[in-house]
Each structure stands twice: as structure tokens, then as C-alpha cells.
């Protein structure tokens, strides 16, 4: 059975779905999951095969492919970790990546190996049929206070002359750059963390007057590096330790925001070999 995954996280394959395909499921230990011939650890939960799936992305696909065959299952190990003293973890680093592939540039010059998909129609300060700017919503529900964050916006020049582009965050101008040609250009903007808000943030990408006769630009993606609190969203949280140069002590994690007391904890440091943590 070919299994495709487009988002990182826990995924399940109901045994009833496999039975409907004519696959014997009376002994789930004979269900073997692999990714590129590498065994993937699984476990049975609520009559489903549970595994941690990874997102894959290149110029051609965002789907990762797993294969389920008959064979010896690689089972998730169960571990118990108890430390008498530990440092409380308060927040961790996360990157929000926003991208939608809606416009394909088929005739891109020297396009071999380049990204051809872009987010919406071009922007331009002097083309009547095109908008000068576009706005995007970046939702950060568990934003933690931090002194600085980084915003990145990747663009691609459509016309061969000069460009001038501006980035605004929640109405505040945070960057203005001049560049040129049918090149890839990335705004990389360190900003004060207080410019972000917990919840919806509005990122505006604007094409300003560059002096060029014709100036048109595609938008590829937006990223925001920020700090996140240990609060579940939709009863789930994929979290990591705080970023430090050294780890002198173990960390204690307190995750809140769940709507149920029935919780499951997995160590997915090695995504091919997740471990079930039974001490929570």
C-alpha cells in the first residue's frame, strides 16, 4: 500500500481500511512500514497503525511516500525518563512557513532547476492590470515574548529591469530594498519581537516605484522565525527544547492547553524511530 504524507506529525492507517483492501490484519505485527527502504517504527492504537510522518518538499512535490507491506513490524520502543532536578523550559524556537503554489511560470528563462510555482499573480507599481501590493495573514496562536524575531519574504523578478519592494508587518514598514532582473531575492529582516502579536499578523508585500518602465514581481513564500510557548493547539504540540549553546541540565516541559486528560507523548527526535514516553 502506497501511503502519502504531506504534513509532519502523527498519522494513522485504520486497520479496517487495510482489511477492505484485502490485507490480513489479524496479526498487526506483520505490517511493515518503510520510507525509502528504511524501516519506520509503528504502534497499534485504537485499531489503527500509528506512525510519525515527515513532510517532504522539493521543486516538484510536497508529498512524502511510505510503503506498507507484509513483513516484520518495527515496533515503537517504550521509555521512561525521570529526573529529580531539571530546568523548566519556557519557550522554544519555531519557523512559520507560508506558501501557496497557485501560479505557474511556464516560460521562465533559464528555468531548469528553479522554482516555477508562485503565490498569486504578480505585483507591480505601474502595470494597470496588476495590484501594487498583496496582504497575507500569519497566525501565531502561542507566540511567546522575545526581543527579536526574523521575517523572510522570497520574491522573483518577472521583468528584467529594476525592482523596489517593501515589506510591512501589521502596518509598520520593516524593510525596503532595491534589486534587479529576473533573479530570486529574499528580504531577511530582523525586527523587534513586539511588532508581532499573538494571533493574526498581517504581512504586506508592496511593489514601489523603482523608476523602471515596467516592473513586475512574483511572491514565492513568507517565513517568520519566532518563539513559541508550550501550549497545545487543537490538542497537539510538536515541541523541542529551548535553544542554548550548552545543555547543562535536563529540561522539564509543562505543556498546557489540552481539552482532555487522555494524552500520549512521543519522542520523535529520530522520526524513523519514535519512542513512546510513559512518564508524563
Amino acid at each position: 500500500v502506497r501511503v502519502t504524507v504531506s504534513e509532519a506529525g502523527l498519522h494513522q492507517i485504520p486497520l479496517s481500511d487495510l482489511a477492505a483492501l484485502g490485507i490480513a490484519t489479524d496479526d498487526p505485527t506483520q505490517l511493515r512500514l518503510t520510507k525509502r527502504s528504511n524501516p519506520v517504527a509503528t504502534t497499534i492504537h485504537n485499531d489503527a497503525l500509528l506512525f510519525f510522518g515527515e513532510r517532504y518538499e522539493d521543486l516538484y512535490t510536497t508529498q512524502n511516500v511510505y510503503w506498507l507491506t507484509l513483513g516484520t513490524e518495527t515496533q515503537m520502543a517504550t521509555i521512561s525518563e525521570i529526573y529529580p532536578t531539571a530546568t523548566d523550559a519556557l519557550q522554544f524556537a519555531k519557523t512559520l512557513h507560508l506558501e501557496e503554489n497557485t501560479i505557474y511560470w511556464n516560460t521562465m528563462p533559464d528555468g531548469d532547476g528553479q522554482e516555477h510555482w508562485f503565490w498569486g499573480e504578480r505585483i507591480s507599481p505601474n502595470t494597470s492590470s496588476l495590484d501594487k501590493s498583496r496582504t497575507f495573514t500569519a497566525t501565531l496562536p502561542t507566540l511567546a515574548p522575545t526581543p527579536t524575531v526574523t521575517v523572510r519574504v522570497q520574491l522573483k523578478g518577472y521583468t528584467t529591469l529594476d525592482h523596489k519592494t517593501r515589506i510591512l508587518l501589521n502596518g509598520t514598514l520593516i524593510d525596503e530594498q532595491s534589486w534587479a532582473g529576473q533573479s530570486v531575492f529574499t528580504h531577511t529582516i530582523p525586527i523587534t519581537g513586539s511588532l508581532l502579536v499573538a494571533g493574526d499578523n498581517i504581512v504586506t508585500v508592496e511593489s514601489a516605484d523603482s523608476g523602471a518602465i515596467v516592473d513586475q514581481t512574483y511572491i514565492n513564500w513568507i517565513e517568520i522565525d519566532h518563539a513559541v510557548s508550550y501550549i497545545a493547539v487543537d490538542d497537539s504540540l510538536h515541541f523541542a527544547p529551548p535553544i542554548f549553546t550548552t545543555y547543562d541540565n535536563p529540561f522539564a516541559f509543562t505543556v498546557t492547553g489540552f481539552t482532555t486528560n487522555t494524552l500520549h507523548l512521543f519522542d520523535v527526535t529520530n522520526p524513523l524511530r519514535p519512542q513512546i514516553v510513559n512518564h508524563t
Side-chain angles (χ1 to χ4, degrees):
V1 177
R2 185 178 187 270
V3 182
T4 57
V5 168
S6 58
E7 294 184 10
L10 291 171
H11 296 262
Q12 64 179 4
I13 306 172
L15 297 182
S16 58
D17 287 1
L18 298 177
L21 294 174
I23 299 173
T25 58
D26 53 328
D27 184 5
T29 63
Q30 296 303 306
L31 296 175
R32 175 181 174 84
L33 190 68
T34 60
K35 186 189 79 169
R36 298 184 181 178
S37 300
N38 295 307
V40 178
T42 62
T43 189
I44 300 298
H45 178 70
N46 288 344
D47 293 325
L49 189 74
L50 193 70
F51 70 100
F52 184 82
E54 297 177 89
R55 176 183 170 86
Y56 178 83
E57 184 169 356
D58 62 15
L59 294 178
Y60 309 104
T61 184
T62 59
Q63 291 190 332
N64 216 341
V65 176
Y66 293 77
W67 289 96
L68 184 67
T69 60
L70 296 179
T72 303
E73 175 196 20
T74 301
Q75 296 186 354
M76 290 186 189
T78 300
I79 60 174
S80 178
E81 298 185 9
I82 302 174
Y83 296 97
T85 59
T87 302
D88 288 335
L90 301 179
Q91 60 187 40
F92 65 102
K94 187 174 183 179
T95 298
L96 175 68
H97 181 87
L98 302 173
E99 180 178 3
E100 292 185 16
N101 295 324
T102 59
I103 297 291
Y104 188 82
W105 184 359
N106 186 46
T107 59
M108 178 189 296
D110 301 319
D112 288 351
Q114 292 196 49
E115 172 69 89
H116 286 251
W117 284 102
F118 298 97
W119 195 348
E121 192 47 271
R122 290 157 282 164
I123 55 174
S124 172
N126 52 15
T127 304
S128 59
S129 60
L130 299 176
D131 293 331
K132 293 182 179 180
S133 65
R134 295 185 55 223
T135 60
F136 306 86
T137 301
T139 303
L140 305 172
T142 59
L143 180 71
T146 183
T148 59
V149 298
T150 299
V151 177
R152 286 184 296 274
V153 179
Q154 188 175 98
L155 309 173
K156 169 78 173 179
Y158 182 80
T159 48
T160 59
L161 302 176
D162 291 339
H163 311 287
K164 179 184 286 187
T165 47
R166 296 171 176 161
I167 309 300
L168 295 89
L169 177 62
N170 295 325
T172 298
L173 178 66
I174 59 174
D175 199 29
E176 178 179 286
Q177 298 289 337
S178 296
W179 48 290
Q182 294 177 316
S183 57
V184 174
F185 182 81
T186 303
H187 287 266
T188 301
I189 317 156
I191 62 170
T192 303
S194 58
L195 291 178
L196 288 175
V197 299
D200 290 344
N201 294 266
I202 305 302
V203 179
T204 302
V205 184
E206 178 182 305
S207 183
D209 185 8
S210 63
I213 299 173
V214 180
D215 180 356
Q216 299 177 6
T217 303
Y218 272 124
I219 300 167
N220 194 357
W221 49 254
I222 298 169
E223 287 185 342
I224 302 178
D225 296 339
H226 60 291
V228 178
S229 299
Y230 292 94
I231 302 174
V233 177
D234 296 330
D235 275 334
S236 177
L237 183 67
H238 186 186
F239 64 91
I243 294 179
F244 290 110
T245 55
T246 60
Y247 293 87
D248 296 329
N249 297 301
F251 286 101
F253 301 95
T254 301
V255 183
T256 63
F258 292 104
T259 61
T260 175
N261 290 328
T262 304
L263 305 176
H264 304 275
L265 180 63
F266 299 86
D267 182 341
V268 295
T269 304
N270 180 351
L272 295 176
R273 298 285 189 279
Q275 297 176 305
I276 302 169
V277 184
N278 65 11
H279 177 73
T280 60

